[in-house]
């Protein structure tokens, strides 16, 4: 408003779980801490197994290692801060720390979606064009793809973070979230540019994520068509089983994202919104290593073999 003075915001307050009953916070803290630690250990176990087993030195498992790395870094960017804020009443975060957290969550979130997309393409080539697999998915080419996805995620992350923090934040500095979530933060911005920046952020995020989902769905349409042409039921089951873990993770990833971002507007309490947000930031990364470890037979056997070598007594 012309002629009105505003106090400029230099730090933010994360509401997070502060509205929850105090006696419930230790239980939530312990639950999310265990899920966080399991996420880290599960993904590190997958990476160590792929590294040590030569039979897993294939493009699919290179992408899986990159996916595990992105999940570890995403959870490290968000979850520790959430856990600390559960224990203390001082929940402020500086302007720079908030911008850094947003950049890292954008970067690793976009990279995660890009990697899920290329893993779908990998399954498409393996099933629909098996004779050309070694040409189309060469180790060198796949390493370049992974590098470009990290670069692309970083470019999108820094671009969105810069246009958001280019805005002026004045008046209230209370973020109704446990992290520097972009939509919650944009509600605090003032000025004529706010609505156009909000629209630009939504368009970039939706275009990138829905573009990846479209290509994944397209890959699986061709995969299903190829599998239906296999004459034996055993052959169809064996071929489809190579896709189950990836397809399950895609459904979980986009399913929880849809629950949060596409839910109808209504009289939802802040507490229920906070719990729903943790399904994407904590629960989805927690499920991913479980799904890949249990549903991927080759990886499960490699993990089992690795444990037997390390902990079983040596036979004569």
């Amino acid at each position: 408003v012309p002629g009105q003075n505003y106090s400029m915001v230099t730090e933010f307050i994360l509401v997070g779980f502060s509205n929850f009953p105090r006696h419930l916070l230790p239980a939530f803290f312990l639950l999310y801490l265990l899920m966080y630690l399991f996420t880290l250990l599960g993904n590190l176990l997958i990476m160590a197994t792929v590294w040590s087993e030569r039979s897993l030195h294939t493009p699919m498992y290179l992408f899986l290692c990159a996916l595990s790395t992105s999940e570890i870094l995403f959870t490290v960017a968000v979850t520790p801060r959430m856990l600390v804020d559960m224990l203390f009443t001082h929940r402020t975060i500086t302007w720079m720390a908030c911008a850094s957290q947003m950049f890292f969550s954008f970067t690793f979130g976009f990279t995660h979606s890009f990697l899920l997309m290329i893993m779908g393409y990998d399954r498409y080539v393996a099933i629909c064009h098996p004779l050309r697999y070694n040409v189309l998915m060469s180790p060198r080419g796949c390493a370049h793809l992974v590098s470009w996805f990290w670069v692309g995620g970083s470019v999108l992350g820094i671009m969105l973070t810069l246009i958001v923090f280019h805005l002026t934040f004045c008046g209230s500095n209370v973020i109704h979230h446990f992290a520097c979530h972009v939509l919650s933060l944009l509600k605090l911005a003032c000025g004529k540019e706010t609505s156009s920046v909000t629209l630009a952020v939504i368009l970039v995020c939706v275009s990138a994520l829905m573009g990846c989902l479209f290509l994944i769905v397209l890959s699986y349409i061709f995969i299903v068509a190829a599998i239906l042409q296999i004459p034996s039921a055993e052959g169809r089951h064996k071929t489809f089983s190579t896709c189950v873990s990836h397809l399950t993770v895609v459904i979980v990833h986009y399913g929880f994202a849809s629950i949060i971002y596409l839910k109808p507007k209504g009289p939802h309490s802040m507490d229920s919104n906070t719990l729903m947000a943790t399904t994407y930031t904590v629960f989805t990364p927690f499920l991913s290593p479980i799904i890949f470890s249990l549903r991927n037979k080759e990886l499960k056997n490699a993990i089992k073999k690795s444990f037997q070598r390390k902990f079983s007594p040596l036979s004569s």
Side-chain angles (χ1 to χ4, degrees):
V1 179
Q4 186 168 342
N5 291 323
Y6 288 109
S7 58
M8 305 312 292
V9 172
T10 57
E11 64 179 17
F12 300 98
I13 298 170
L14 298 172
V15 173
F17 289 80
S18 60
N19 294 321
F20 281 66
R22 296 293 301 172
H23 67 277
L24 291 178
L25 290 184
F28 278 117
F29 174 83
L30 183 60
L31 173 65
Y32 291 132
L33 176 64
L34 290 174
M35 292 173 73
Y36 171 65
L37 293 175
F38 188 90
T39 300
L40 298 183
L41 292 174
N43 282 299
L44 288 171
L45 175 63
I46 288 173
M47 293 165 66
T49 303
V50 172
W51 180 267
S52 61
E53 293 292 329
R54 292 191 62 83
S55 62
L56 300 182
H57 291 182
T58 63
M60 181 64 177
Y61 293 102
L62 168 67
F63 297 140
L64 181 55
C65 278
L67 191 75
S68 294
T69 304
S70 71
E71 286 190 336
I72 287 173
L73 295 174
F74 180 81
T75 53
V76 167
V78 177
T79 308
R81 174 78 207 200
M82 181 189 78
L83 292 171
V84 169
D85 286 346
M86 284 185 187
L87 298 178
F88 300 101
T89 54
H90 185 73
R91 296 185 176 91
T92 59
I93 184 169
T94 64
W95 189 93
M96 184 57 71
C98 189
S100 299
Q101 188 186 64
M102 183 178 291
F103 163 70
F104 287 123
S105 58
F106 268 139
T107 296
F108 305 134
F110 281 125
T111 304
H112 191 273
S113 294
F114 296 155
L115 289 167
L116 285 176
M117 176 191 68
I118 196 61
M119 289 172 81
Y121 176 73
D122 174 86
R123 293 298 84 207
Y124 159 73
V125 174
I127 292 169
C128 299
H129 302 284
L131 298 179
R132 298 177 62 197
Y133 183 81
N134 290 332
V135 176
L136 294 173
M137 305 299 292
S138 66
R140 184 186 179 89
C142 291
H144 286 159
L145 276 175
V146 170
S147 301
W148 278 113
F149 289 150
W150 280 103
V151 171
S154 301
V155 169
L156 285 173
I158 199 165
M159 181 182 74
L160 291 175
T161 304
L162 285 175
I163 65 170
V164 169
F165 280 87
H166 179 70
L167 296 171
T168 302
F169 297 95
C170 47
S172 175
N173 67 337
V174 178
I175 300 175
H176 292 284
H177 206 278
F178 53 78
C180 287
H181 185 257
V182 62
L183 296 180
S184 301
L185 191 64
L186 284 170
K187 292 176 183 177
L188 308 182
C190 51
K192 295 182 294 183
E193 300 174 351
T194 304
S195 57
S196 58
V197 167
T198 302
L199 181 61
V201 168
I202 291 172
L203 282 175
V204 170
C205 292
V206 169
S207 299
L209 299 180
M210 289 300 103
C212 290
L213 180 60
F214 172 75
L215 292 173
I216 292 170
V217 171
L218 193 63
S219 296
Y220 275 100
I221 289 172
F222 287 115
I223 287 170
V224 169
I227 288 174
L228 291 176
Q229 293 177 4
I230 299 173
S232 69
E234 185 183 354
R236 289 194 295 270
H237 179 268
K238 186 177 180 181
T239 304
F240 186 71
S241 66
T242 63
C243 307
V244 170
S245 57
H246 172 257
L247 188 57
T248 307
V249 169
V250 168
I251 292 170
V252 169
H253 176 75
Y254 280 96
F256 281 128
S258 301
I259 290 170
I260 296 167
Y261 295 109
L262 301 181
K263 70 178 187 293
K265 290 185 177 180
H268 302 286
S269 69
M270 281 195 294
D271 292 354
S272 66
N273 287 336
T274 300
L275 287 176
M276 287 176 72
T278 61
T279 60
Y280 187 73
T281 55
V282 181
F283 196 58
T284 301
F286 165 75
L287 285 178
S288 185
I290 296 175
I291 294 167
F292 277 114
S293 300
L294 296 180
R295 301 298 300 174
N296 187 308
K297 189 176 180 181
E298 198 175 10
L299 180 62
K300 183 167 67 173
N301 290 338
I303 291 173
K304 224 182 272 184
K305 196 195 304 181
S306 181
F307 270 98
Q308 286 171 354
R309 277 203 306 265
K310 287 179 173 62
F311 300 110
S312 296
L314 294 172
S315 61
S316 57

